[in-house]
Amino acid sequence: MSTHDTPSVVGFTDLIKGVLKMAPQAPLMLRHAPGLIRRPADAQRTIGSIFQKHAAAHPDRPFVRFEGKSTTYGEANRIVNRYAAVLAADGVRTGDVVAILSKNCPTDLFLMLATVKLGAIAGMLNYNQRGDVIEHSMKLLGARVLVHDPECREAFESIPAAALPETVYDFGGIDDSAAGRPETDPEVTATLPASTEAFYIFTSGTTGMPKASVMSHNRWLASLSGIGGLAVRLRASDTMYVPLPLYHNNALSVSLSSVLASGACIAIGRQFSASRFWDEVILNRATAFCYIGELCRYLLAQPAKPTDRAHSVRLVVGNGMRPDIWDEFKDRFGIDRIVEFYGASELNLVFINVFSADHTAGFCPLPYAIVEYDEEGKPARDAAGRLTRVKRGGTGLLLTGVNDRVPIDGYTDPAETEKKLLRDAFKDGDAWFNSGDLVRDQGFSHIAFVDRLGDTFRWKGENVATTEVEAGLDGYGEISQSVAFGVAVPGTDGKAGMAAVTVRGGEPLDGAALAAHLYEVLPSYAIPLFIRVVDHLEATSTFKNRKVELREEAYSSTGGDPLYVLAGRADGYVKAYDGYVDDVAAGRAPRG
């Protein structure tokens, strides 16, 4: 990280300024503060019960807006209840899974709400997955019902019949079945405890295939109180625009909980477009939106135009806003507050910029530790077997405390959760969850995100497992071996994918054919931007030593090895050229 990017520490003056800015929303904050401190697992309070209480209290207030068209809380609740009646008739009960494969639209949100109202679990499938990956995800879910969006036809058709549940609907089918169904709230909703599991969010984790992280209603309620009630602080008249996929927690937890904390409106964007973004914001009358850092960079890369300031957005919430663009983003687009946060689907806490300080991922009152780590990215234990905390201003590995008050939902597979737990870290019997992330201690319980560790890198707001990328590369007949890793690209957030490969028979790489294969088997964000062709790779099971060397050499020190770059879906991989990294930073490459 360059000196320019180094986050400043947070001082007492920052906290005072933040408190003064909070003052107008003090009543809302006081209402939600208890929910951050105490959330009994047996309390009969869930996403569904909160939503339907808003629908009963103000049925004519807009709840969801899509492409400028609004649906009120009352009408949305009636649609949700009809869907719930269909699912219940299909045998969906508390603890069952309903798989939802959909691009962003109101139906996607309504199906999730219908599922959780029944005490069932919404399995939010990533529509970028294909073939073996989405088959694995379906098997992991063990869903009783699958509902799919016709817009996701390619992903749906790549699921083998054997992996499909007995009951499958497309949107038209479930709408037909819902016609004439009861519009009353399901009786079971009022009886569900907060400990009930709400949805599964897929994360790459640190192994090859995706894992499903568990989001309970209780953990979502922590987002409602901590992020929505204390940090974002929407008014009932506000509209939160969501251009990010609803299968992500940024949309489903952070944005939706912020909306339901005050009974505001959620505007769903079909998909992100940098050139049309502010037009969409204005069309949907948004006063806030959620982001990932890369989204903000793309907006800054657009030519200046009147809509940059012709909107009503006063605050944004998200993660990945790097210090080098923070001030420019606020100034150019007239944003009053950046509510940056740090969290992950599987973590049991979140840092949130409650005090509206600049250049920070925020504050967390719950137990965590930032510790020294070794060359392999693992927590470093001293001679006594204990971990060492870094000092203020230092960078280290983030661990989150696990106890009865702050339990870990983890993954659907308990063995995968156990792999991430560290025990006897500072004293006998303690337990900590390894985030796998490097952060900087900024003081006053604030941190700044620095980087990912291990064999996972973050690109386009997604965690990408190198083993998944390598499996995709190795499935191409002309490649005999591959090693994948993340590399920094100036002007972007996270790490872009790069791979070193050996080609059978020493033949030239067919860049177009390789790209066509990778677009078939990998999500677009996981396809490596750089391919380095090497004569050989070390014949070990992990390639660890060679991998570190290759990562350090990246794309700028490849010697005489051929280097290819991803131009896009149409042109595939082409010979590396001057200016490619600038094209990536500006969003001009890869295309499609």
Side-chain angles (χ1 to χ4, degrees):
M1 178 175 283
S2 68
T3 304
H4 178 70
D5 288 348
T6 302
S8 59
V9 296
V10 173
F12 185 69
T13 302
D14 295 310
L15 304 187
I16 295 299
K17 288 179 180 177
V19 170
L20 293 174
K21 189 166 279 192
M22 293 175 191
Q25 287 92 33
L28 176 70
M29 296 179 70
L30 289 171
R31 191 166 75 244
H32 286 285
L36 191 63
I37 300 167
R38 185 174 183 272
R39 298 186 314 280
D42 59 353
Q44 292 174 336
R45 189 167 184 251
T46 61
I47 301 167
S49 67
I50 290 169
F51 167 67
Q52 65 189 32
K53 282 178 182 176
H54 280 303
H58 37 76
D60 297 325
R61 185 185 295 173
F63 167 59
V64 62
R65 194 169 289 130
F66 183 63
E67 297 179 342
K69 180 182 177 182
S70 300
T71 304
T72 65
Y73 271 87
E75 177 58 21
N77 193 45
R78 290 190 288 274
I79 294 169
V80 167
N81 289 340
R82 289 197 294 269
Y83 285 159
V86 173
L87 297 175
D90 290 325
V92 173
R93 301 290 184 267
T94 300
D96 287 337
V97 176
V98 176
I100 302 172
L101 176 62
S102 175
K103 292 194 174 179
N104 275 16
C105 64
T107 302
D108 190 5
L109 180 59
F110 296 158
L111 286 167
M112 184 280 290
L113 289 169
T115 300
V116 301
K117 273 197 171 197
L118 295 174
I121 304 160
M124 306 302 291
L125 288 163
N126 181 334
Y127 54 74
N128 290 294
Q129 294 179 354
R130 298 287 186 276
D132 291 346
V133 180
I134 198 166
E135 178 185 5
H136 166 84
S137 297
M138 283 300 302
K139 289 179 177 178
L140 205 62
L141 290 178
R144 180 175 289 273
V145 176
L146 167 65
V147 188
H148 65 96
D149 179 355
E151 293 287 323
C152 299
R153 179 181 55 83
E154 189 177 330
F156 173 72
E157 290 179 351
S158 75
I159 305 173
L164 293 172
E166 186 175 331
T167 305
V168 177
Y169 292 101
D170 63 12
F171 281 3
I174 199 163
D175 281 337
D176 289 344
S177 186
R181 298 276 184 172
E183 296 181 342
T184 51
D185 295 326
E187 291 183 6
V188 69
T189 308
T191 70
L192 297 170
S195 58
T196 306
E197 293 181 353
F199 37 83
Y200 293 151
I201 299 290
F202 282 93
T203 172
S204 293
T206 55
T207 59
M209 284 294 187
K211 294 193 285 288
S213 64
V214 182
M215 175 64 77
S216 65
H217 288 268
N218 208 10
R219 193 162 151 235
W220 186 93
L221 290 168
S223 182
L224 177 102
S225 298
I227 298 181
L230 296 181
V232 178
R233 310 190 292 270
L234 293 180
R235 306 162 186 152
S237 57
D238 278 322
T239 295
M240 169 75 76
Y241 179 63
V242 180
L244 304 176
L246 288 174
Y247 62 69
H248 261 191
N249 265 327
N250 285 48
L252 212 54
S253 293
V254 174
S255 299
L256 182 61
S257 70
S258 296
V259 164
L260 291 182
S262 60
C265 178
I266 184 169
I268 301 173
R270 187 181 295 274
Q271 62 185 31
F272 171 70
S273 166
S275 61
R276 298 194 308 272
F277 182 83
W278 294 112
D279 296 319
E280 286 282 316
V281 164
I282 293 166
L283 173 67
N284 287 290
R285 307 191 290 284
T287 53
F289 67 80
C290 67
Y291 68 85
I292 56 173
E294 201 70 16
L295 180 152
C296 299
R297 284 195 183 276
Y298 285 157
L299 293 179
L300 284 172
Q302 289 291 301
K305 49 188 174 182
T307 49
D308 287 354
R309 286 282 190 132
H311 55 81
S312 301
V313 172
R314 68 176 190 281
L315 71 94
V316 296
V317 57
N319 62 320
M321 181 79 77
R322 296 296 288 263
D324 61 316
I325 69 166
W326 188 294
D327 296 330
E328 182 185 358
F329 192 84
K330 285 183 73 173
D331 294 344
R332 174 172 166 180
F333 300 116
I335 307 298
D336 179 52
R337 286 201 295 130
I338 295 178
V339 187
E340 175 81 359
F341 72 90
Y342 165 86
S345 299
E346 62 271 35
L347 287 184
N348 57 340
L349 55 71
V350 65
F351 288 80
I352 184 75
N353 192 12
V354 175
F355 297 98
S356 305
D358 287 330
H359 312 152
T360 180
F363 163 85
C364 181
L366 299 174
Y368 69 90
I370 305 172
V371 302
E372 302 286 352
Y373 60 99
D374 61 24
E375 292 180 356
E376 293 186 351
K378 297 177 180 177
R381 294 189 183 259
D382 61 20
R386 304 302 193 195
L387 304 184
T388 303
R389 297 176 190 262
V390 303
K391 297 178 180 178
R392 185 184 185 192
T395 296
L397 183 62
L398 176 67
L399 311 179
T400 67
V402 179
N403 54 46
D404 291 341
R405 182 177 160 229
V406 193
I408 191 84
D409 288 338
Y411 306 107
T412 52
D413 184 348
E416 293 291 345
T417 302
E418 186 62 33
K419 288 179 185 178
K420 299 292 289 289
L421 288 175
L422 295 164
R423 301 187 185 278
D424 306 322
F426 302 102
K427 61 182 180 180
D428 291 344
D430 65 359
W432 300 78
F433 191 82
N434 183 355
S435 73
D437 285 338
L438 286 180
V439 301
R440 189 180 304 277
D441 186 341
Q442 295 181 297
F444 290 104
S445 298
H446 282 69
I447 66 164
F449 175 79
V450 176
D451 207 352
R452 288 289 293 179
L453 275 176
D455 284 337
T456 300
F457 59 92
R458 194 166 180 82
W459 184 244
K460 304 297 185 192
E462 304 276 359
N463 289 337
V464 182
T466 55
T467 46
E468 181 182 347
V469 177
E470 288 160 2
L473 289 163
D474 293 344
Y476 179 64
E478 301 306 311
I479 289 177
S480 54
Q481 286 183 313
S482 67
V483 174
F485 42 91
V487 293
V489 176
T492 68
D493 301 305
K495 298 287 182 68
M498 180 171 179
V501 303
T502 56
V503 180
R504 298 183 193 280
E507 296 294 324
L509 185 71
D510 186 339
L514 173 60
H517 165 76
L518 293 179
Y519 273 105
E520 284 291 324
V521 300
L522 292 175
S524 58
Y525 56 78
I527 299 173
L529 268 58
F530 305 91
I531 299 288
R532 176 179 177 179
V533 179
V534 298
D535 292 331
H536 68 279
L537 291 166
E538 290 182 10
T540 67
S541 60
T542 62
F543 302 115
K544 226 163 217 168
N545 294 333
R546 181 63 173 140
K547 194 169 196 172
V548 172
E549 181 184 330
L550 289 166
R551 185 165 53 219
E552 291 175 348
E553 291 171 350
Y555 48 82
S556 56
S557 302
T558 55
D561 294 338
L563 180 67
Y564 295 81
V565 294
L566 184 63
R569 188 183 289 268
D571 297 324
Y573 288 99
V574 300
K575 288 287 183 70
Y577 60 88
D578 291 341
Y580 178 74
V581 293
D582 294 330
D583 287 346
V584 172
R588 294 188 294 268
R591 291 188 176 277

